[in-house]
Amino acid sequence: GNSVTQMEGPVTLSEEAFLTINCTYTATGYPSLFWYVQYPGEGLQLLLKATKADDKGSNKGFEATYRKETTSFHLEKGSVQVSDSAVYFCALRSDAGGTSYGKLTFGQGTILTVHP
Amino acid sequence: DTEVTQTPKHLVMGMTNKKSLKCEQHMGHRAMYWYKQKAKKPPELMFVYSYEKLSINESVPSRFSPECPNSSLLNLHLHALQPEDSALYLCASSQEGSLLGYGYTFGSGTRLTVV
Protein backbone atom coordinates (compact mmCIF):
# COMPACT_ATOMS: atom_id res chain seq x y z
CA GLY A 1 0.00 0.00 0.00
CA ASN A 2 0.86 3.66 -0.05
CA SER A 3 2.85 5.28 2.74
CA VAL A 4 4.66 8.53 3.49
CA THR A 5 7.53 8.93 5.95
CA GLN A 6 8.56 12.34 7.25
CA MET A 7 11.53 13.27 9.34
CA GLU A 8 10.71 13.31 12.99
CA GLY A 9 10.34 16.66 14.64
CA PRO A 10 9.94 18.96 16.19
CA VAL A 11 12.24 21.25 14.27
CA THR A 12 13.34 24.48 15.94
CA LEU A 13 15.15 27.15 13.95
CA SER A 14 16.15 30.76 14.26
CA GLU A 15 14.71 33.30 11.87
CA GLU A 16 16.50 33.40 8.48
CA ALA A 17 17.87 29.86 8.89
CA PHE A 18 17.67 27.28 6.08
CA LEU A 19 14.91 24.70 6.36
CA THR A 20 14.79 21.13 5.11
CA ILE A 21 12.03 18.68 6.03
CA ASN A 22 12.62 15.25 4.57
CA CYS A 23 9.82 13.20 3.03
CA THR A 24 10.02 9.79 1.35
CA TYR A 25 7.20 7.72 -0.01
CA THR A 26 6.11 4.28 -1.15
CA ALA A 27 3.32 4.11 -3.70
CA THR A 28 1.81 2.06 -6.47
CA GLY A 29 1.23 3.68 -9.81
CA TYR A 30 2.33 7.23 -10.47
CA PRO A 31 1.53 9.34 -7.43
CA SER A 32 1.10 13.07 -7.18
CA LEU A 33 2.92 14.60 -4.21
CA PHE A 34 1.86 17.44 -1.95
CA TRP A 35 2.97 19.51 1.01
CA TYR A 36 0.26 20.83 3.30
CA VAL A 37 0.71 23.35 6.11
CA GLN A 38 -1.45 23.68 9.21
CA TYR A 39 -1.19 26.85 11.27
CA PRO A 40 -2.31 26.72 14.92
CA GLY A 41 -6.07 26.38 15.25
CA GLU A 42 -6.66 26.11 11.50
CA GLY A 43 -7.33 23.54 8.82
CA LEU A 44 -4.81 22.31 6.26
CA GLN A 45 -3.70 24.51 3.39
CA LEU A 46 -2.08 23.21 0.24
CA LEU A 47 1.43 24.67 0.15
CA LEU A 48 2.76 23.15 -3.07
CA LYS A 49 2.49 20.10 -5.29
CA ALA A 50 4.22 18.11 -8.04
CA THR A 51 2.51 15.67 -10.33
CA LYS A 52 5.37 13.90 -12.13
CA ALA A 53 9.02 13.03 -11.75
CA ASP A 54 11.45 15.99 -11.72
CA ASP A 55 8.64 18.50 -11.28
CA LYS A 56 9.43 21.25 -8.79
CA GLY A 57 6.60 22.71 -6.75
CA SER A 58 7.09 26.14 -5.21
CA ASN A 59 5.09 28.65 -3.20
CA LYS A 60 5.84 31.40 -0.65
CA GLY A 61 9.58 30.68 -0.84
CA PHE A 62 9.12 26.95 -0.22
CA GLU A 63 10.26 24.41 -2.81
CA ALA A 64 10.15 20.65 -3.24
CA THR A 65 11.31 18.47 -6.15
CA TYR A 66 9.68 15.14 -7.07
CA ARG A 67 12.56 12.66 -7.12
CA LYS A 68 11.39 9.29 -8.45
CA GLU A 69 14.82 7.65 -8.20
CA THR A 70 14.99 8.30 -4.47
CA THR A 71 11.19 8.34 -3.91
CA SER A 72 11.55 11.65 -2.11
CA PHE A 73 9.87 15.05 -1.96
CA HIS A 74 11.88 17.09 0.54
CA LEU A 75 10.62 20.54 1.52
CA GLU A 76 13.12 23.42 1.56
CA LYS A 77 13.11 27.12 2.30
CA GLY A 78 16.14 29.34 2.16
CA SER A 79 15.23 31.75 4.96
CA VAL A 80 12.44 30.95 7.40
CA GLN A 81 10.33 33.50 9.24
CA VAL A 82 8.55 33.36 12.58
CA SER A 83 5.28 33.26 10.64
CA ASP A 84 6.33 29.90 9.10
CA SER A 85 5.86 28.20 12.47
CA ALA A 86 3.28 25.48 11.79
CA VAL A 87 2.86 21.76 11.23
CA TYR A 88 3.92 20.54 7.79
CA PHE A 89 2.44 17.38 6.23
CA CYS A 90 3.81 15.56 3.21
CA ALA A 91 1.14 13.64 1.31
CA LEU A 92 0.61 11.61 -1.82
CA ARG A 93 -2.33 10.77 -4.00
CA SER A 94 -2.23 7.59 -6.05
CA ASP A 95 -4.81 5.51 -7.83
CA ALA A 96 -4.03 2.21 -6.15
CA GLY A 97 -6.02 -0.16 -8.34
CA GLY A 98 -8.76 2.30 -9.21
CA THR A 99 -10.77 1.82 -6.05
CA SER A 100 -9.08 4.30 -3.77
CA TYR A 101 -10.87 7.34 -5.23
CA GLY A 102 -7.52 9.08 -5.24
CA LYS A 103 -7.20 8.82 -1.49
CA LEU A 104 -4.73 11.23 0.10
CA THR A 105 -2.11 9.52 2.27
CA PHE A 106 -0.37 11.72 4.86
CA GLY A 107 2.95 11.55 6.62
CA GLN A 108 3.05 11.98 10.38
CA GLY A 109 3.67 15.72 10.21
CA THR A 110 6.63 17.84 11.30
CA ILE A 111 6.21 20.63 13.82
CA LEU A 112 8.30 23.66 12.90
CA THR A 113 9.00 26.43 15.40
CA VAL A 114 10.91 29.50 14.29
CA HIS A 115 12.33 31.85 16.95
CA PRO A 116 13.11 35.53 16.35
CA ASP B 1 -15.30 30.80 -4.48
CA THR B 2 -12.33 28.62 -3.59
CA GLU B 3 -13.26 27.74 -0.05
CA VAL B 4 -14.70 24.92 1.96
CA THR B 5 -16.88 26.31 4.74
CA GLN B 6 -17.50 24.35 7.92
CA THR B 7 -19.96 25.12 10.70
CA PRO B 8 -19.90 25.35 13.61
CA LYS B 9 -16.28 26.19 14.38
CA HIS B 10 -16.57 24.90 17.93
CA LEU B 11 -19.02 22.41 19.44
CA VAL B 12 -19.38 21.05 22.95
CA MET B 13 -21.82 18.19 23.34
CA GLY B 14 -22.83 15.69 25.97
CA MET B 15 -22.64 11.97 25.40
CA THR B 16 -26.43 11.72 24.98
CA ASN B 17 -26.77 14.65 22.58
CA LYS B 18 -27.42 14.58 18.84
CA LYS B 19 -25.67 17.21 16.76
CA SER B 20 -24.61 17.75 13.15
CA LEU B 21 -21.55 19.20 11.49
CA LYS B 22 -22.00 20.96 8.17
CA CYS B 23 -19.70 21.48 5.21
CA GLU B 24 -20.28 23.44 2.01
CA GLN B 25 -18.27 24.05 -1.16
CA HIS B 26 -19.10 25.80 -4.42
CA MET B 27 -16.08 24.83 -6.49
CA GLY B 28 -17.91 22.12 -8.45
CA HIS B 29 -15.86 19.42 -6.74
CA ARG B 30 -17.49 16.01 -7.00
CA ALA B 31 -15.58 14.28 -4.21
CA MET B 32 -16.03 15.27 -0.56
CA TYR B 33 -14.38 13.88 2.53
CA TRP B 34 -14.64 13.80 6.32
CA TYR B 35 -11.45 13.56 8.35
CA LYS B 36 -10.80 13.33 12.09
CA GLN B 37 -7.64 14.88 13.47
CA LYS B 38 -6.19 14.54 16.94
CA ALA B 39 -3.71 17.10 18.20
CA LYS B 40 -0.36 17.08 16.39
CA LYS B 41 -1.34 14.02 14.35
CA PRO B 42 -2.17 13.69 10.65
CA PRO B 43 -5.82 13.69 9.63
CA GLU B 44 -7.47 10.25 9.53
CA LEU B 45 -9.92 9.58 6.73
CA MET B 46 -13.45 8.72 7.84
CA PHE B 47 -15.70 8.90 4.77
CA VAL B 48 -15.48 9.65 1.07
CA TYR B 49 -18.40 10.74 -1.09
CA SER B 50 -18.01 10.63 -4.84
CA TYR B 51 -20.80 12.10 -6.97
CA GLU B 52 -22.98 12.25 -3.85
CA LYS B 53 -22.65 8.53 -3.17
CA LEU B 54 -20.78 7.09 -0.21
CA SER B 55 -17.66 5.48 -1.69
CA ILE B 56 -15.48 4.77 1.31
CA ASN B 57 -16.31 4.20 4.98
CA GLU B 58 -13.10 3.61 6.89
CA SER B 59 -14.76 1.34 9.46
CA VAL B 60 -16.12 4.33 11.35
CA PRO B 61 -18.43 3.58 14.33
CA SER B 62 -22.12 3.97 13.58
CA ARG B 63 -22.41 6.86 16.05
CA PHE B 64 -21.02 8.91 13.14
CA SER B 65 -23.45 9.11 10.22
CA PRO B 66 -22.54 11.01 7.04
CA GLU B 67 -24.98 12.51 4.59
CA CYS B 68 -24.55 14.22 1.24
CA PRO B 69 -27.82 16.04 0.39
CA ASN B 70 -26.42 17.51 -2.84
CA SER B 71 -23.16 18.12 -4.65
CA SER B 72 -22.29 21.17 -2.55
CA LEU B 73 -23.19 19.98 0.94
CA LEU B 74 -21.86 17.36 3.29
CA ASN B 75 -23.13 16.67 6.79
CA LEU B 76 -21.85 14.54 9.64
CA HIS B 77 -24.50 13.53 12.15
CA LEU B 78 -23.29 12.74 15.64
CA HIS B 79 -25.08 10.67 18.26
CA ALA B 80 -24.03 9.09 21.55
CA LEU B 81 -20.41 10.09 21.18
CA GLN B 82 -17.65 9.22 23.62
CA PRO B 83 -15.07 11.59 25.15
CA GLU B 84 -12.38 9.98 22.96
CA ASP B 85 -14.26 11.30 19.93
CA SER B 86 -13.17 14.81 20.88
CA ALA B 87 -11.04 16.06 17.98
CA LEU B 88 -10.88 18.48 15.08
CA TYR B 89 -13.21 17.33 12.30
CA LEU B 90 -12.14 18.43 8.86
CA CYS B 91 -14.13 18.47 5.68
CA ALA B 92 -12.37 18.50 2.32
CA SER B 93 -13.28 18.45 -1.33
CA SER B 94 -11.47 17.70 -4.56
CA GLN B 95 -11.91 17.17 -8.22
CA GLU B 96 -13.16 13.67 -8.90
CA GLY B 97 -10.94 10.92 -7.65
CA SER B 98 -9.45 10.03 -11.02
CA LEU B 99 -7.81 13.48 -11.29
CA LEU B 100 -4.86 12.73 -9.04
CA GLY B 101 -2.94 15.90 -9.80
CA TYR B 102 -5.34 17.93 -7.74
CA GLY B 103 -4.97 18.21 -4.01
CA TYR B 104 -7.79 18.52 -1.58
CA THR B 105 -9.21 21.82 -0.39
CA PHE B 106 -9.77 21.66 3.35
CA GLY B 107 -12.12 23.60 5.55
CA SER B 108 -10.89 25.12 8.79
CA GLY B 109 -12.59 22.41 10.80
CA THR B 110 -14.99 21.98 13.71
CA ARG B 111 -13.34 21.60 17.10
CA LEU B 112 -15.54 19.03 18.88
CA THR B 113 -15.45 18.42 22.60
CA VAL B 114 -17.52 15.58 24.08
CA VAL B 115 -18.23 15.91 27.79
Side-chain angles (χ1 to χ4, degrees), chain B residues 4 23 31-35 74 90-94 104-107:
Chain B
V4 173
C23 174
M32 295 186 76
Y33 312 82
W34 280 115
Y35 279 84
L74 188 65
L90 293 164
C91 174
S93 70
S94 73
Y104 294 5
T105 300
F106 282 86

Side-chain angles (χ1 to χ4, degrees), chain A residues 32 36 38 49 93 103-104, chain B residues 37 42 58 100-102 104:
Chain A
S32 293
Y36 281 86
Q38 187 172 31
K49 68 176 185 179
R93 206 174 171 197
K103 189 171 150 179
L104 200 60
Chain B
Q37 186 182 27
E58 293 282 338
L100 301 175
Y102 293 89
Y104 294 5

Side-chain angles (χ1 to χ4, degrees), chain B residues 1-109:
Chain B
D1 188 353
T2 58
E3 288 186 344
V4 173
T5 303
Q6 288 188 245
T7 56
K9 290 198 180 304
H10 300 276
L11 178 61
V12 179
M13 60 184 290
M15 289 188 284
T16 58
N17 290 160
K18 284 185 181 181
K19 296 286 184 183
S20 296
L21 309 185
K22 296 187 183 304
C23 174
E24 189 168 5
Q25 58 89 13
H26 296 287
M27 294 176 281
H29 290 172
R30 303 315 300 267
M32 295 186 76
Y33 312 82
W34 280 115
Y35 279 84
K36 174 182 177 181
Q37 186 182 27
K38 291 285 202 178
K40 297 186 170 57
K41 296 292 187 185
E44 298 171 13
L45 182 65
M46 300 174 72
F47 302 104
V48 178
Y49 273 83
S50 179
Y51 289 88
E52 298 153 54
K53 289 189 183 343
L54 183 64
S55 303
I56 295 178
N57 176 342
E58 293 282 338
S59 303
V60 179
S62 59
R63 56 185 184 270
F64 295 91
S65 174
E67 178 196 21
C68 189
N70 60 56
S71 60
S72 299
L73 294 174
L74 188 65
N75 298 323
L76 186 63
H77 303 296
L78 314 173
H79 173 55
L81 294 194
Q82 303 297 310
E84 59 265 28
D85 296 322
S86 299
L88 181 67
Y89 287 84
L90 293 164
C91 174
S93 70
S94 73
Q95 300 285 353
E96 61 180 276
S98 62
L99 300 178
L100 301 175
Y102 293 89
Y104 294 5
T105 300
F106 282 86
S108 53

Side-chain angles (χ1 to χ4, degrees), chain A:
Chain A
N2 297 337
S3 68
V4 177
T5 302
Q6 283 182 239
M7 66 184 287
E8 294 191 15
V11 175
T12 303
L13 295 173
S14 297
E15 206 165 26
E16 298 184 5
F18 184 85
L19 168 71
T20 299
I21 301 178
N22 290 340
C23 171
T24 56
Y25 68 89
T26 303
T28 55
Y30 301 93
S32 293
L33 302 174
F34 306 87
W35 276 101
Y36 281 86
V37 58
Q38 187 172 31
Y39 298 103
E42 298 186 11
L44 277 72
Q45 298 176 25
L46 179 63
L47 181 60
L48 54 83
K49 68 176 185 179
T51 58
K52 60 184 188 296
D54 300 324
D55 265 3
K56 177 186 280 189
S58 60
N59 186 24
K60 299 181 182 179
F62 291 89
E63 292 183 340
T65 300
Y66 188 142
R67 300 282 187 205
K68 194 167 183 215
E69 64 276 13
T70 53
T71 61
S72 64
F73 193 54
H74 305 320
L75 183 68
E76 296 182 338
K77 187 176 186 184
S79 176
V80 293
Q81 305 299 312
V82 172
S83 56
D84 293 327
S85 297
V87 183
Y88 291 81
F89 293 99
C90 185
L92 70 83
R93 206 174 171 197
S94 173
D95 184 10
T99 60
S100 66
Y101 292 90
K103 189 171 150 179
L104 200 60
T105 301
F106 288 96
Q108 287 302 303
T110 301
I111 300 171
L112 171 66
T113 303
V114 180
H115 292 297

